[in-house]
Amino acid sequence: MGSEPEDEAGGPQRVRRRRATAGGGAVMADVARRAGVSGQTVSRVLNDHPRVRPETRERVRAAMRELGYRPTASARTLASGRSRTLGVISFDAARFGPAATLAGINEAAQEAGYLVSTIALTAADQAAVRGAVDRLLGQGADGIIAIAPQHSVGEALVEADHGRPMVTLDKSFGARFPVVAGDSASGARQATEHLLRLGHRTVRHIAGPVGWIAAEARVDGWRAALKDAGAEAHEPLFGDWSADSGYDLGRRIAHDPDATAVFVSNDQMAVGVLRALHEAGRRVPEDVSVVGYDDIPEAAHLLPPLTTVRTDFAEIGRRCLSLMLDQLERTPEPGVRVTIPTELVLRESCGHLFRGSARQAQG
Amino acid sequence: MGSEPEDEAGGPQRVRRRRATAGGGAVMADVARRAGVSGQTVSRVLNDHPRVRPETRERVRAAMRELGYRPTASARTLASGRSRTLGVISFDAARFGPAATLAGINEAAQEAGYLVSTIALTAADQAAVRGAVDRLLGQGADGIIAIAPQHSVGEALVEADHGRPMVTLDKSFGARFPVVAGDSASGARQATEHLLRLGHRTVRHIAGPVGWIAAEARVDGWRAALKDAGAEAHEPLFGDWSADSGYDLGRRIAHDPDATAVFVSNDQMAVGVLRALHEAGRRVPEDVSVVGYDDIPEAAHLLPPLTTVRTDFAEIGRRCLSLMLDQLERTPEPGVRVTIPTELVLRESCGHLFRGSARQAQG
DNA sequence: GGCCTTGATGTTAGCGGTAACACTCCCCCT
DNA sequence: AGGGGGAGTGTTACCGCTAACATCAAGGCC
């Protein structure tokens, strides 16, 4: 090639340090040399600066292509203080809701040219949350999106405060960062009112675990609907979101002949409830009506197909991202709270309570 | 404070550039000054070098704590060429299998002190895969784990080759990188043989989409089991993994009175199949036996509880990570292929075919 | 026509770490 | 006593890129 830089004779011959680029590829200086410009001009091309002559720009671009040049993110981050990386802290990443939200965030981030680093936490203790925030920030994340479905996580986030933008999901208190959430209270109300309209005297509730924001909002929505209708409110039964727990709690309800309508806080638990009712010989919807929450893709094919409250998780993810971008690139509105509407999807798991028997009520 | 470095009088006063650290926190030099050592010693403490006197180490640690020092990853990456970040390319991240695998990877990565950057792809075309690889490498990922469930993705990965370590999931050909996969062929064989042992003359198959490696391996395993038993093999029906498609295809099978046993390539489709059979008035397991695949958490609570093939997705994720670490930190074995065993979980969706009727067969 | 813009590009000095090497001590051995 | 060697620490030169400033040519203005 003949383009090796000459070492001045006799100078102390230092070992060339290993390059930081992947596969030892070209670096900016190589591109600059090849295009016959300075490194700064290459940098300008890279960053779409307007003050570069079109032909120079093209020459640099060509050199980049020919050398297979790939900018080194760590160097750019170090020099500019921006990484175009977003950190995401998530819990329970294998469950449908969080997973779908995460997918939405990822997709939107990609479109906006950001990379996403995810830390999936299992424990919700403050040390874990703080550690995750630290690692993400240390990594240079420009901002953090935290799925904070439990009060404890929300509190830990406030504790672990830092200078960078943050968006949280679900977290219900404190106007410190923007929050995105599905409208759980309203969804629960819709579900409950639907069941009441079908003639049920009251509606039982199988709730998500205590301390979970969405779970508690659904309890509130359910309770409010009952109160408005002057219906009795039994104490809710608290599950852990799993079909297993839905089954266990469903059996308790199945053995209570007064129970004719159940609102379950998510579809997975509803699966277990349907089984418990079936095994106890109580027909759905003839004897008992069931409404779930989330509208998982399987909900339409359960036996019977499940009436449920749909949340657009992908939209939640997208809104998180757009709020984050607002903070990063535009003027942030402080303390925004975005609520994603829900929709009751009518299927076959609910029936009229009518002369002790029931007819199917279809949307 | 009094610790501001003095500018020599009259020197050209340059504006201090914005710090790259989050929230303008302390940097290594600050820690060094406070602990009364050089930056290099701080670096040694940070990296657990053995050659530091315990009391010095403690002094440095104290200084770090007091200043809330957080090392800047981009600087470390730039200087060392290692980022302790792994890139993950995933598809279909909202489905149970991939999501659970991803969770396993994340968890294992965290334990090993690595951060994970995920790119979720929707299209499997070469440009998308190549772009994802580029972005991950540009970000400084030390290695890439690619969930490559389709042939096309595997091919694209080979094309997008690069110098860094890689581990792929499912990808069936080419010994270029280590591969981890659930043992789909064996799982399918177990399922099929189980049904045959119950007395079914043959077993129908609802398969995953063409081009998906796991789907095709399950077809192969199913076909092999039938062949060994000398049973007739109907042409499989190809779904798209969704409960919707399972329902559509299930209806075709439901209307065929000869069909007494169905092996479905995943549990979601099996949900649809169960519904289709139910609606057609065919009882499970009395008239038709059904086996699914994956053992999603809801499988035990379907009506009837679904016999299925369990794969330990978390283990798959962990193995991916350990293979990656082998490549990064130890002597890599080239072209390893790790197969995660499967287990047939017996529940109530299968019955003996016996005098035209069926009795339950329970493990 | 000299002076001030403006556009295009180059030069310099970092960003915050780490690798390689240099330099002290201090102990041990002969 | 002299020297070898290792433990502990400091010095220097980068890693690859970008911000700030400097430079330089071409053009507009009075």
Side-chain angles (χ1 to χ4, degrees), chain A residues 111-234:
Chain A
E111 251 169 54
Y114 280 80
L115 209 59
V116 172
S117 284
T118 310
I119 293 193
L121 255 33
T122 42
D125 63 293
Q126 192 163 314
V129 171
R130 177 162 203 110
V133 169
D134 275 7
R135 299 191 54 197
L136 254 13
L137 290 181
Q139 258 290 322
D142 291 339
I144 292 187
I145 299 177
I147 304 187
Q150 300 168 63
H151 291 304
S152 56
V153 178
E155 287 156 20
L157 284 171
V158 172
E159 291 305 312
D161 200 12
H162 54 271
R164 301 258 159 137
M166 176 130 118
V167 172
T168 61
L169 247 115
D170 275 5
K171 183 173 102 31
S172 57
F173 69 97
R176 204 111 152 218
F177 344 96
V179 176
V180 180
D183 197 347
S184 285
S186 155
R189 177 181 277 278
Q190 285 174 72
T192 309
E193 287 175 348
H194 174 65
L195 289 166
L196 293 172
R197 267 197 308 273
L198 291 175
H200 298 279
R201 309 265 301 266
T202 188
V203 176
R204 309 295 181 105
H205 183 39
I206 293 186
V210 176
W212 285 67
I213 292 152
E216 296 182 358
R218 286 168 205 172
V219 171
D220 292 346
W222 161 78
R223 216 186 283 276
L226 291 184
K227 188 174 176 208
D228 288 357
E232 178 194 11
H234 290 75

Side-chain angles (χ1 to χ4, degrees), chain A residues 6-357:
Chain A
E6 307 288 326
D7 290 294
E8 58 276 42
Q13 175 67 44
R14 281 186 80 96
V15 181
R16 174 90 181 160
R17 282 170 66 183
R18 154 169 94 287
R19 290 197 157 175
T21 56
V27 297
M28 186 173 274
D30 301 325
V31 176
R33 205 174 309 126
R34 177 153 195 140
V37 298
S38 73
Q40 187 55 226
T41 296
V42 178
S43 172
R44 290 193 181 101
V45 171
L46 211 56
N47 293 291
D48 287 321
H49 254 259
R51 296 287 124 88
V52 180
R53 220 184 328 158
E55 66 191 64
T56 308
R57 183 186 305 278
E58 201 32 65
R59 201 146 34 89
V60 172
R61 290 243 167 85
M64 287 178 173
R65 267 195 303 278
E66 288 158 22
L67 296 174
Y69 170 71
R70 201 166 10 219
T72 303
S74 51
R76 303 180 83 177
T77 301
L78 186 57
S80 69
R82 300 201 39 213
S83 67
R84 295 193 78 78
T85 292
L86 259 26
V88 175
I89 300 178
S90 89
F91 290 83
D92 227 353
R95 251 182 49 225
F96 176 74
T101 304
L102 233 117
I105 292 175
N106 267 306
E107 205 170 309
Q110 216 171 309
E111 251 169 54
Y114 280 80
L115 209 59
V116 172
S117 284
T118 310
I119 293 193
L121 255 33
T122 42
D125 63 293
Q126 192 163 314
V129 171
R130 177 162 203 110
V133 169
D134 275 7
R135 299 191 54 197
L136 254 13
L137 290 181
Q139 258 290 322
D142 291 339
I144 292 187
I145 299 177
I147 304 187
Q150 300 168 63
H151 291 304
S152 56
V153 178
E155 287 156 20
L157 284 171
V158 172
E159 291 305 312
D161 200 12
H162 54 271
R164 301 258 159 137
M166 176 130 118
V167 172
T168 61
L169 247 115
D170 275 5
K171 183 173 102 31
S172 57
F173 69 97
R176 204 111 152 218
F177 344 96
V179 176
V180 180
D183 197 347
S184 285
S186 155
R189 177 181 277 278
Q190 285 174 72
T192 309
E193 287 175 348
H194 174 65
L195 289 166
L196 293 172
R197 267 197 308 273
L198 291 175
H200 298 279
R201 309 265 301 266
T202 188
V203 176
R204 309 295 181 105
H205 183 39
I206 293 186
V210 176
W212 285 67
I213 292 152
E216 296 182 358
R218 286 168 205 172
V219 171
D220 292 346
W222 161 78
R223 216 186 283 276
L226 291 184
K227 188 174 176 208
D228 288 357
E232 178 194 11
H234 290 75
E235 190 57 19
L237 301 176
F238 296 93
D240 65 4
W241 297 128
S242 73
D244 285 351
S245 74
Y247 177 64
D248 291 343
L249 301 174
R251 288 205 288 189
R252 309 224 318 241
I253 287 185
H255 295 132
D256 178 348
D258 286 345
T260 65
V262 192
F263 165 50
V264 188
S265 201
N266 79 342
D267 287 350
Q268 274 84 9
M269 292 196 293
V271 169
V273 170
L274 289 179
R275 175 181 171 214
L277 292 168
H278 177 81
E279 289 184 352
R282 304 197 63 186
R283 294 162 305 163
V284 178
E286 292 83 352
D287 304 326
V288 184
S289 290
V290 177
V291 178
Y293 204 107
D294 281 352
D295 194 27
I296 62 174
E298 292 75 38
H301 301 287
L302 297 177
L303 299 179
L306 184 68
T307 291
T308 186
V309 180
R310 176 184 296 161
T311 305
D312 188 343
F313 291 105
E315 175 66 11
I316 291 184
R318 280 191 295 268
R319 294 305 293 269
C320 281
L321 208 94
S322 81
L323 283 175
M324 178 54 77
L325 293 181
D326 283 353
Q327 292 190 73
L328 288 172
E329 301 176 352
R330 288 181 279 281
T331 328
E333 306 164 61
V336 207
R337 180 176 178 88
V338 172
T339 303
I340 306 298
T342 56
E343 177 196 359
L344 185 65
V345 181
L346 300 177
R347 297 209 180 91
E348 296 158 35
S349 64
C350 298
H352 276 291
L353 189 70
F354 200 55
R355 290 193 315 266
S357 132

